[in-house]
């Protein structure tokens, strides 16, 4: 059992939690709920706020700062916003409606970013796919999510199975038409009235191997991004490696959290699977200062990266020897944990060679309980062994 409660999803849940005891109370007669005691617990989401608003707020402050550096080109926050506005208008002209599920299938980072923003701007819901997904998985996701439009590139058309009733929009082939759309921020009428509160639906493998959709609301994801931006320590001057597919929710740590503080994304080259020496050369050559990755990826890097001042690992247990090898004075090294259902990440800790490696404590606005394996509705008191909830 790895479901963790995110109080950002429900103000009512947050109120109920406030009457429970935190981990420091060892009374055996009470259930025990662990919360972040050193930070305020009020939800960071503001009423009516949607995920793309966090990006637009940065655009209004730092339009000329570089949001993405691909090596071949740089794209400022303002330029990325303008391209997303154009694609959003194109989607509306093609009949896309608020609340509609729109799948994204890209193997080029900037196109992915523009598409995510554009879908959100028209109050639709994006469903990220990976170009490496087999046709059966794509079909299952598109059917399950009730997708009606797929945004992609022409060279990926062969990656899509025959999908009756699905409109395919290849943004490269529609480029001239999209470029004629206005670059200014969309008006409320152009965006359309929100049909629901969903931001995206992301698919995990599920315990049966069949794709399982996890629907994330704007309140939940805005809350997470703001909390992570507050806690993690990514800075505006950072150059953040973006190597995960957007079909994996770990990519939210790489994309939206850096954007929320005005940092620059340095995406993995299209079609490249970087690991070991190739990844080290890329990170060093592109002057990357912040890296989010899974522990095996970090373990495969044989040499240190002197420019790296922020390091975050997740997805698998972090071995102690990896902490010893990569810990440096002045380098912030975090280990985080959380299933997609809890909105990306639920617990965090700063690791150190002299301390045991744990998954840490809940992020602000999150709560963790240890549940009785025989009765998952009962939280165990301090010192008992059970399952994380």
């Amino acid at each position: 059992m790895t479901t963790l409660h995110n109080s950002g999803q429900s103000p009512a849940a947050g109120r109920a939690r406030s009457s429970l005891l935190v981990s420091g109370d060892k009374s055996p007669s009470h259930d025990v709920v662990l919360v972040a005691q050193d930070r305020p617990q009020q939800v960071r989401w503001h009423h009516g706020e949607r995920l793309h608003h966090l990006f637009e707020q940065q655009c209004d402050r730092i339009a000329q700062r570089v949001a993405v550096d691909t090596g071949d080109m740089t794209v400022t926050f303002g330029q990325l916003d303008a391209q997303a506005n154009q694609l959003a208008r194109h989607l509306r002209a093609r009949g896309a409606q608020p609340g509609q599920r729109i799948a994204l299938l890209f193997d080029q980072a900037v196109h992915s970013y523009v598409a995510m923003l554009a879908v959100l701007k028209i109050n639709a819901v994006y469903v990220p796919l990976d170009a490496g997904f087999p046709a059966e998985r794509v079909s299952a996701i598109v059917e399950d999510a009730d997708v009606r439009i797929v945004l992609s590139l022409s060279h990926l058309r062969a990656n899509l199975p025959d999908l009756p009733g699905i409109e395919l929009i290849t943004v490269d082939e529609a480029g001239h038409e999209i470029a004629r759309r206005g670059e200014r921020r969309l008006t409320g009428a152009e965006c359309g009235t929100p049909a629901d509160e969903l931001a995206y639906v992301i698919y995990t493998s599920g315990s049966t191997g069949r794709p399982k959709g996890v629907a994330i609301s704007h309140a939940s994801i805005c809350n997470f991004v703001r909390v992570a931006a507050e806690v993690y320590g990514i800075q505006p001057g950072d150059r953040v490696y973006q190597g995960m597919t957007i079909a994996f929710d770990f990519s939210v740590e790489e994309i939206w959290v850096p954007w929320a503080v005005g940092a620059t994304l340095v995406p993995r080259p299209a079609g490249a699977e970087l690991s070991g020496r190739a990844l080290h050369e890329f990170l060093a050559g592109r002057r990357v200062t912040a890296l989010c990755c899974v522990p095996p990826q970090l373990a495969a890097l044989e040499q240190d990266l002197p420019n790296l001042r922020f390091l975050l690992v997740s997805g698998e247990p972090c071995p102690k020897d990896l902490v010893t090898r990569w810990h440096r004075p002045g380098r912030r090294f975090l280990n985080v944990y959380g299933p997609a259902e809890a909105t990306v990440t639920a617990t965090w800790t700063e690791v150190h060679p002299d301390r045991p490696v744990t998954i840490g404590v809940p992020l602000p606005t999150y709560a963790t309980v240890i549940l009785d394996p025989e009765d998952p509705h009962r939280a165990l008191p301090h010192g008992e062994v059970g399952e994380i909830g």
Side-chain angles (χ1 to χ4, degrees):
M1 179 178 299
T2 54
T3 51
L4 283 90
H5 164 68
N6 176 1
S7 64
Q9 295 179 358
S10 169
R15 288 194 297 271
R17 188 199 61 220
S18 66
S19 65
L20 297 171
L21 299 176
V22 297
S23 61
D25 189 318
K26 302 181 182 181
S27 170
S29 62
H30 292 85
D31 291 343
V32 179
V33 178
L34 179 65
V35 297
Q37 297 177 309
D38 60 340
R39 293 175 184 267
Q41 289 299 305
Q42 70 268 20
V43 174
R44 272 54 164 184
W45 171 74
H46 307 302
H47 181 70
E49 188 175 55
R50 301 176 81 81
L51 179 57
H52 60 284
H53 293 165
L54 275 62
F55 178 84
E56 291 176 347
Q57 288 164 11
Q58 290 297 344
C59 292
D60 294 340
R61 287 195 323 107
I62 52 170
Q64 300 307 312
R65 182 175 295 171
V66 175
V68 185
D69 183 353
T70 70
D72 296 325
M73 65 175 177
T74 58
V75 185
T76 66
F77 278 85
Q79 290 169 334
L80 198 60
D81 190 46
Q83 292 176 38
N85 293 334
Q86 289 176 314
L87 180 55
R89 287 192 170 87
H90 184 70
L91 287 171
R92 289 291 273 157
R94 294 288 289 266
Q97 298 296 317
Q100 197 164 28
R101 314 295 174 83
I102 300 178
L104 311 182
L105 180 68
F106 294 98
D107 62 354
Q108 296 176 13
V110 175
H111 284 298
S112 295
Y113 308 150
V114 171
M116 278 192 295
L117 288 165
V119 170
L120 293 170
K121 282 172 179 283
I122 62 169
N123 291 315
V125 181
Y126 73 85
V127 181
L129 303 171
D130 187 274
F133 282 171
E136 305 79 44
R137 184 173 177 86
V138 171
S139 293
I141 291 174
V142 166
E143 179 182 0
D144 186 70
D146 194 24
V147 167
R148 289 290 176 263
I149 296 174
V150 176
L151 285 175
S152 190
L153 295 166
S154 57
H155 71 272
L156 294 176
R157 186 179 277 109
N159 294 54
L160 289 164
D162 182 27
L163 300 169
I166 306 299
E167 180 180 8
L168 173 64
I169 299 177
T170 50
V171 297
D172 52 336
E173 292 177 321
H176 291 298
E177 189 176 352
I178 294 171
R180 291 198 294 269
R181 310 289 182 186
E183 295 184 355
R184 69 188 185 285
R185 195 75 52 78
L186 276 69
T187 64
E190 289 178 303
C191 296
T193 303
D196 56 37
E197 294 305 314
L198 290 187
Y200 62 84
V201 180
I202 201 159
Y203 279 76
T204 66
S205 295
S207 57
T208 64
R210 178 176 174 78
K212 177 184 64 172
V214 178
I216 302 296
S217 71
H218 283 278
S220 292
I221 190 60
C222 288
N223 181 73
F224 166 73
V225 170
R226 288 192 183 282
V227 164
E230 170 189 324
V231 169
Y232 284 4
I234 296 176
Q235 299 175 0
D238 277 323
R239 292 172 56 82
V240 184
Y241 177 60
Q242 204 279 292
M244 302 284 181
T245 169
I246 62 170
F248 183 23
D249 78 332
F250 194 0
S251 65
V252 173
E253 314 246 29
E254 298 179 310
I255 299 171
W256 292 98
V257 178
W259 277 349
V261 301
T264 299
L265 305 187
V266 181
R268 171 173 56 87
E273 291 295 335
L274 298 181
S275 63
R277 179 177 297 178
L279 177 59
H280 185 277
E281 291 176 354
F282 180 86
L283 297 174
R286 302 298 307 282
R287 308 182 315 282
V288 166
T289 63
L291 172 65
C292 303
C293 65
V294 293
Q297 191 175 27
L298 185 62
L301 296 173
E302 296 181 355
Q303 295 177 284
D304 190 38
L305 291 159
N307 289 331
L308 200 64
R309 57 150 231 96
F310 176 89
L311 180 58
L312 179 150
V313 293
S314 183
E316 297 182 22
C318 181
K320 181 70 176 292
D321 67 303
L322 207 56
V323 174
T324 301
R325 185 153 70 89
W326 282 92
H327 186 273
R328 297 285 185 281
R331 175 180 293 166
R332 189 164 173 79
F333 190 171
L334 305 183
N335 184 40
V336 304
Y337 166 80
E341 293 86 345
T343 310
V344 187
T345 288
T347 72
W348 76 289
T349 187
E350 190 168 3
V351 296
H352 190 279
D354 297 335
R355 297 195 298 266
V357 180
T358 73
I359 62 171
V361 298
L363 286 166
T365 74
Y366 284 72
T368 302
V369 293
I370 303 302
L371 299 172
D372 185 343
E374 303 301 323
D375 179 8
H377 297 290
R378 187 174 77 89
L380 295 172
H382 183 89
E384 297 288 329
V385 176
E387 296 181 321
I388 296 172

